Amino acid sequence: MNLEMLGQNTSQAEVTHISSHGIWILANNEEMFLSYQDFPWFQDVPIRQILNIQEPFPDHFYWPDLDVDLSKEIIKNPERFPLSSRAKLIS
């Protein structure tokens, strides 16, 4: 039996919560937390810039207003990617 997905994935990534500790995004029925400690460039920006999230490829997220792009792997394991998750502190 050959099962193929027809059409496009219509569910989009979205920011579901913003707190004083970080943000939560929902993508493909999975919620992920991005702490400001690991992803500091989300901390002091207007909410509209955080809410403007795109998923150009599966499990790949982009915030065009912030020029931040992260994979699901980086979000779930920021300790494995210290330069990626904290790169904004360098600039």
Side-chain angles (χ1 to χ4, degrees):
M1 178 188 257
N2 183 10
L3 298 176
E4 288 185 41
M5 287 190 67
L6 300 177
Q8 290 183 308
N9 179 3
T10 57
S11 67
Q12 295 183 358
E14 66 176 303
V15 175
T16 59
H17 187 74
I18 299 172
S19 78
S20 60
H21 302 286
I23 67 172
W24 283 260
I25 64 171
L26 178 65
N28 303 313
N29 295 319
E30 181 177 7
E31 197 165 47
M32 294 171 276
F33 178 67
L34 292 80
S35 72
Y36 296 137
Q37 182 177 359
D38 292 322
F39 304 98
W41 50 88
F42 293 105
Q43 187 167 14
D44 294 318
V45 298
I47 291 173
R48 65 179 161 69
Q49 291 181 344
I50 296 171
L51 294 176
N52 186 14
I53 182 176
Q54 301 173 359
E55 188 176 4
F57 308 102
D59 298 330
H60 184 93
F61 310 101
Y62 181 60
W63 286 263
D65 297 332
L66 303 172
D67 196 27
V68 170
D69 90 281
L70 302 168
S71 68
K72 178 180 174 180
E73 182 69 20
I74 292 170
I75 293 168
K76 293 185 87 66
N77 303 289
E79 69 284 352
R80 292 187 194 164
F81 306 91
L83 294 177
S84 297
S85 66
R86 301 198 52 89
K88 191 72 166 186
L89 291 179
I90 297 169
S91 56

